[in-house]
Amino acid sequence: MRPQKRILVLLLALFMLVTTFVACTTPGSQGGETGTNTQQVTDGNDDTTDADSTGDTSGVIGDVPVIPENLTFDGRTFRFITSPLSGSDYDELYLDFEGEATDTISEAVYRRNSAVEEQLDILFEVLHTNDYYEVVSTIIEMNLSEYPYYDAAYATANSIGPAATEGHFIDLNRLDYVDFEADYWDSNCHEALSMGHRNYMMVGDISMSVYGRAHTIIFNQQMLKDAKVTKDPYALVEANEWTFDKMLEMVRLTAKPNGDGVQDEHDIYGLYNLNIMGTLGSFDFSLTGKDSDDFPTMFELTDTFFNAFQMLREVNFDPTLHFIPQTMLSVTDFGDWGHMWDWVRGNMFTNDQITFMYGSFDSIKLLTNMASDYGVVPNPMLNTEQERYQCMIDPYVNFLCVPITNGDNAFTGAVLEYMAYVSRDTVREEYIETFLKYRQNRDEKMQAMVDIIFDSMHYEVSDLFALGIRDLIDAASGDGSLQSKYDGRKTIYAENVQALKDLFELLDELQKPITPDTDA
């Protein structure tokens, strides 16, 4: 049987199991552990550098991939498919660049891509779809055809997960040469999103999408000074005292209704864009644990969790404190802002009408013309007993994945590993150390916050595999019935996890090597 025909047959078999899994949800051979394939280089004169390491490692500090130095691919094309090149915050991938390399990040992308092409003797080709959800749908169509084309993809994380359960992506742990413990991959992501010791999506230094969209708090420094706040969020973070209660005190202090009896865009608010699910994640509540088989388990509804949920719900629906544009904004024409969310950021926050807003580093580009100073800090902790700050990852950002029709683990693994490695000292260095810390901030204190935020990124597996936890929290946020909805969900959740285990057993058949068509 031809490889693609075998895939089609198995995908159809999977569909029967997937139907069982989907029916349990609310509407709306096992992969091996990743081995250590890198070595540590401490300075440019380290005599212990492995002779098999690819490329010149002189001057490198950090992990170095172990790829045979003479490994090349005779000009073969490596093809990415990903979201649109421009037009959305979620599209800042930096896989390639538009037009000439006229800014420093584009120049870093050019240097990175050129180095990988030269070292491995390959050519990059990147297809940008018209819509960021179109990536996965295109891959699914390709998988069901007899003409595999793309080697890898960057797609929205919450679309990769469900498609992975249908057999459309490979277990990345099977790629040759790749070491997800290396410092140019996010080992935290690898551990958190593992499903039965399988990983279908990954974050590393190839793309900056995740870093740009990590959840943060952006605050108006001038409004806090006017309110005579003596210990601002920066000082609280440094003292490990930045908690939601502390932020709420400032929210109450600075919110000022104008007295006309209508809460709309003409009032002053303490808070904007509160996300209950994301904030619970920042409180160090892991909404999913792991069982002995490395599959998700549902969180326990403790008194602490319930009380935190109730507190957030009260703040969320207090119209004197929290601005909700869906119900409070009278403006209907958002002009160049595109949608209500950015209109509020670009108009109300910049006009000193909002003290704190949940956002991301990508949100800062909307504040270019803001007269008052702003600051950026991690999401607050629940209390000072929390061990670290924790910033949820936006489920709509782009993650790396590899289509099931790509059976060449050596080619794909070598390219992705070397690309991530070179990215660390080019694209990541330019984006984080130069752009975020210096070009896009207004004070030195924000530079330290960048590192704290990136060290606290939290990946919620239930968000990315559509396990229904967000549905539960969102529904309970509306009517307050968290306990009853939790009780009703527990059995369904257990059935979904068992269905996942059955799915992934069959998926192992799909992961068997397929002879690649190198003439494509």
Side-chain angles (χ1 to χ4, degrees), residues 187-211:
S187 58
N188 175 33
C189 170
H190 184 260
E191 179 181 358
L193 299 187
S194 174
M195 276 279 210
H197 306 291
R198 305 162 177 87
N199 289 82
Y200 297 99
M201 63 185 89
M202 190 59 193
V203 168
D205 290 347
I206 295 175
S207 168
M208 297 295 103
S209 176
V210 167
Y211 300 107

Side-chain angles (χ1 to χ4, degrees), residues 223-487:
M223 292 178 71
L224 296 181
K225 289 178 182 177
D226 293 344
K228 301 189 182 334
V229 171
T230 57
K231 200 168 187 178
D232 71 4
Y234 282 142
L236 291 169
V237 171
E238 292 169 358
N240 204 40
E241 297 173 358
W242 176 232
T243 64
F244 192 86
D245 283 343
K246 290 288 187 182
M247 185 175 76
L248 188 55
E249 289 177 10
M250 301 180 207
V251 166
R252 296 186 189 281
L253 184 64
T254 55
K256 297 177 181 178
N258 61 15
D260 66 0
V262 179
Q263 293 298 139
D264 57 18
E265 67 272 15
H266 302 296
D267 296 277
I268 296 176
Y269 299 86
L271 188 61
Y272 169 60
N273 203 29
L274 172 65
N275 180 288
I276 293 179
M277 172 80 170
T279 307
L280 287 170
S282 71
F283 288 171
D284 201 23
F285 292 127
S286 291
L287 301 179
T288 47
K290 292 289 185 73
D291 66 15
S292 58
D293 296 322
D294 192 45
F295 280 93
T297 58
M298 192 170 180
F299 69 95
E300 291 296 323
L301 184 53
T302 62
D303 288 343
T304 303
F305 187 102
F306 184 84
N307 292 336
F309 170 83
Q310 289 294 92
M311 172 187 65
L312 293 176
R313 187 170 178 273
E314 290 173 7
V315 174
N316 185 67
F317 291 111
D318 187 335
T320 65
L321 301 178
H322 181 222
F323 185 74
I324 302 177
Q326 299 99 307
T327 58
M328 300 166 70
L329 182 64
S330 64
V331 175
T332 56
D333 182 4
F334 306 115
D336 293 338
W337 298 106
H339 51 77
M340 68 177 72
W341 308 103
D342 281 355
W343 187 95
V344 174
R345 295 182 181 106
N347 285 275
M348 295 180 65
F349 185 81
T350 58
N351 194 40
D352 297 347
Q353 290 179 260
I354 295 172
T355 315
F356 295 94
M357 69 174 179
Y358 283 82
S360 66
F361 286 110
D362 281 348
S363 305
I364 294 176
K365 65 186 179 184
L366 304 172
L367 313 180
T368 305
N369 297 322
M370 184 172 176
S372 298
D373 286 334
Y374 58 81
V376 180
V377 291
N379 286 3
M381 301 181 292
L382 176 61
N383 52 51
T384 55
E385 296 176 3
Q386 192 169 319
E387 293 184 0
R388 71 180 191 118
Y389 296 101
Q390 191 158 284
C391 299
M392 286 272 283
I393 295 301
D394 191 319
Y396 294 94
V397 299
N398 288 270
F399 280 45
L400 172 69
C401 54
V402 174
I404 188 63
T405 45
N406 179 354
D408 195 336
N409 292 340
F411 175 56
T412 307
V415 172
L416 295 177
E417 179 77 353
Y418 195 65
M419 192 176 186
Y421 159 66
V422 178
S423 292
R424 178 190 60 197
D425 300 323
T426 53
V427 179
R428 179 189 170 98
E429 177 75 15
E430 187 62 37
Y431 179 74
I432 294 177
E433 300 301 326
T434 300
F435 180 69
L436 290 186
K437 291 187 177 181
Y438 292 96
R439 289 173 53 199
Q440 191 173 273
N441 78 75
R442 296 190 178 187
D443 57 62
E444 294 182 357
K445 292 181 180 179
M446 179 178 159
Q447 297 171 18
M449 298 300 112
V450 172
D451 292 329
I452 292 173
I453 290 166
F454 289 158
D455 287 342
S456 67
M457 293 197 305
H458 174 65
Y459 299 89
E460 180 51 55
V461 67
S462 66
D463 249 0
L464 308 186
F465 282 87
L467 298 181
I469 300 300
R470 183 173 288 273
D471 292 341
L472 185 159
I473 297 297
D474 288 347
S477 298
D479 59 18
S481 58
L482 179 60
Q483 185 66 64
S484 62
K485 285 183 169 55
Y486 177 86
D487 293 340

